[in-house]
Amino acid sequence: MTSIPLVVPRCTPRLICSTSPHRVAVARGPRLPASGKYIPRPFTCSHDYTPQTTWRASSNVPRPQQAAATQTMSSSAFKQRPSPAVPRPSSSVILVSPRNEILLLHRVKTSNSFASAHVFPGGNLSAQDGQCPPAEDLKRHDDGPWYRNAAIRELFEESGILLAKDKVSGKMLAVPEEQRESGRRAIHQNQTTFLEWLKQQSPNAVPDTDGLIPFTRWITPTTNSRRYTTQMYLYFLPLPAEAEKPVLDEIPSEGQREEIQVPTSDGGVEVTEARFLPASEWLQMAQRGDIILFPPQFLLLHLVAGFLDMEPRVAASLQELHRRRAKLTEFVSTGQPPWSEKCISPKMLRMSSDGRTVLALDQPGPELRGTDKQGETERVVLVKFKRGEARELEVRWKQDAFEAEAKSNL
């Protein structure tokens, strides 16, 4: 019997890689000695190697490309988060009466913003107010004539109070109530503009925009679907001895509720309530739950009350009323930055131990990120939001709020 030699071909060398530093070996095929028994060849190492790419036997695609493809497929499976709404420009006025009281309007339940709340008079800018810079222009968030015109116009449309003067004499303009109501309706129905109507009352009549004192800007947080960039102003109505009687007769009496019919663009009306009260009394009503105030209104009333409502309040003389106004005006121009330039976009800082949200006021909003705009760094507002309402509001120094929270956790 002829013996047939057993021939075992050598295996082609294979490069073996893994994702961690490893050794690379050349694996050779098995050899059979003359005895015919299989003796495994030891796995030897030729050199150390750190791989750049990992390969899998089940795929011809490198793992980094597989990961990128997987990430693309995963992200496409989820809907992208929509971009924040562009803030609409608006203005608002903190109107101080001849007795240093503050005007608030009670919004109707059907209002698009701040429904059922008490707010300062104001609203969105209109084309008749001037050309506001576009959304991509940072000057859109600066004080300008378009914001001032809107503040005067909106105050007139919402409350019937006219802040206008004779540009020659400098005296406040007095217009009878019947003419003012007729003008408001014509403006709402787009039959005329506010400035056109004002010129009809007197050729020298101009809005008293110079009397407006900037007092913070507020940009709605990105969590809200309706966002605004609102310029707040402070305006002092003339003290009793500084104004003529026809002008004072236009202003609602302090503490007296006055229903105002606000014409709508479709010819209807919305009934709201206008009322002058001390800032401190508005704050007390909000803390008792009698009215709804949102953080911007609450904070600004808190600041104003610290100057206008000092004791004794009722017996304050004309000189004392004037002195308190001067102190408030001085305060608005102080701070880093001054309150006239602060830009605030409230942001949740934390939850307090009593379940209220602690709102930080130091951020200017995403539109102004990276600019020199700043908010209020020393104070925070505590608030409990419930069913779209703001309750249990309180203004605290930020340091005090943190210290109180630390003590409650002991």
Side-chain angles (χ1 to χ4, degrees):
M1 180 176 179
T2 306
S3 63
I4 302 175
L6 180 62
V7 179
V8 180
R10 292 180 176 234
C11 296
T12 304
R14 294 177 292 121
L15 184 64
I16 304 173
C17 303
S18 70
T19 57
S20 58
H22 61 285
R23 296 181 181 275
V24 177
V26 176
R28 298 183 181 276
R31 287 184 177 180
L32 290 180
S35 62
K37 294 182 179 180
Y38 170 70
I39 302 176
R41 186 181 181 92
F43 190 81
T44 58
C45 303
S46 58
H47 61 279
D48 290 330
Y49 178 75
T50 302
Q52 300 297 322
T53 305
T54 299
W55 298 77
R56 286 184 177 273
S58 60
S59 174
N60 293 325
V61 182
R63 181 177 290 179
Q65 295 181 20
Q66 286 182 330
T70 303
Q71 184 177 6
T72 301
M73 289 187 293
S74 299
S75 60
S76 63
F78 297 94
K79 185 178 179 180
Q80 291 185 348
R81 180 179 297 179
S83 301
V86 176
R88 298 183 62 181
S90 64
S91 297
S92 196
V93 185
I94 304 171
L95 188 64
V96 182
S97 79
R99 298 293 300 175
N100 283 359
E101 298 186 338
I102 308 300
L103 176 68
L104 288 186
L105 304 181
H106 186 192
R107 292 281 194 212
V108 295
K109 293 182 179 180
T110 56
S111 294
N112 291 330
S113 59
F114 300 114
S116 300
H118 280 71
V119 299
F120 305 122
N124 296 331
L125 269 64
S126 168
Q128 60 183 293
D129 301 319
Q131 186 62 47
C132 182
E136 63 273 11
D137 192 337
L138 294 179
K139 292 182 179 179
R140 183 184 182 91
H141 307 286
D142 290 338
D143 178 29
W146 34 85
Y147 283 107
R148 291 174 177 256
N149 289 333
I152 302 293
R153 176 185 56 78
E154 283 287 339
L155 174 65
F156 175 70
E157 292 180 7
E158 289 197 322
S159 70
I161 296 176
L162 178 62
L163 302 183
K165 63 182 181 181
D166 187 297
K167 64 181 179 181
V168 177
S169 66
K171 293 183 178 181
M172 293 289 292
L173 190 68
V175 178
E177 181 179 0
E178 184 177 347
Q179 289 179 231
R180 285 185 280 122
E181 292 305 309
S182 175
R184 292 171 64 212
R185 185 169 295 279
I187 292 170
H188 274 278
Q189 295 178 354
N190 297 319
Q191 297 174 0
T192 186
T193 67
F194 172 68
L195 291 178
E196 290 172 348
W197 174 84
L198 193 58
K199 290 298 182 183
Q200 294 171 6
Q201 312 312 307
S202 172
N204 294 327
V206 292
D208 187 20
T209 55
D210 293 338
L212 295 170
I213 303 172
F215 190 20
T216 69
R217 172 176 292 273
W218 294 75
I219 297 182
T220 312
T222 57
T223 52
N224 294 48
S225 58
R226 295 177 182 270
R227 300 183 66 221
Y228 302 91
T229 172
T230 304
Q231 179 63 58
M232 296 284 191
Y233 294 103
L234 190 65
Y235 188 98
F236 296 102
L237 287 167
L239 292 170
E242 300 172 352
E244 298 177 359
K245 188 177 185 302
V247 175
L248 295 177
D249 288 342
E250 294 182 13
I251 304 168
S253 301
E254 284 82 3
Q256 178 182 351
R257 289 183 173 88
E258 179 172 313
E259 284 193 350
I260 298 176
Q261 293 188 342
V262 181
T264 57
S265 57
D266 59 0
V269 295
E270 287 182 352
V271 178
T272 188
E273 180 185 272
R275 192 180 184 189
F276 278 103
L277 281 176
S280 56
E281 191 165 336
W282 285 123
L283 295 171
Q284 292 169 10
M285 293 171 67
Q287 290 174 329
R288 291 196 305 263
D290 297 338
I291 65 172
I292 299 173
L293 291 177
F294 281 87
Q297 289 80 12
F298 192 90
L299 173 67
L300 295 177
L301 284 170
H302 170 83
L303 297 174
V304 168
F307 295 92
L308 299 186
D309 293 348
M310 294 184 293
E311 297 296 338
R313 196 189 172 282
V314 178
S317 64
L318 187 64
Q319 291 75 16
E320 179 63 17
L321 293 174
H322 189 277
R323 187 186 72 84
R324 294 178 183 184
R325 289 183 172 199
K327 287 290 186 181
L328 176 56
T329 303
E330 181 183 357
F331 167 77
V332 171
S333 62
T334 63
Q336 293 294 332
W339 283 92
S340 58
E341 300 177 10
K342 288 184 189 292
C343 186
I344 301 173
S345 183
K347 186 175 182 180
M348 178 179 174
L349 186 62
R350 60 190 298 176
M351 293 296 294
S352 65
S353 57
D354 60 5
R356 289 186 291 177
T357 300
V358 181
L359 293 178
L361 309 172
D362 55 345
Q363 297 299 316
E367 288 77 15
L368 296 173
R369 188 176 293 126
T371 68
D372 59 354
K373 296 286 187 180
Q374 297 180 36
E376 163 58 11
T377 60
E378 297 182 347
R379 295 172 176 83
V380 294
V381 174
L382 280 72
V383 58
K384 180 173 288 187
F385 291 107
K386 187 176 182 181
R387 299 190 187 94
E389 299 179 355
R391 298 290 188 181
E392 301 180 34
L393 289 97
E394 182 183 359
V395 177
R396 287 187 187 177
W397 296 104
K398 182 184 290 187
Q399 183 176 352
D400 292 346
F402 278 110
E403 290 178 354
E405 196 66 22
K407 290 180 180 179
S408 66
N409 293 330
L410 293 178

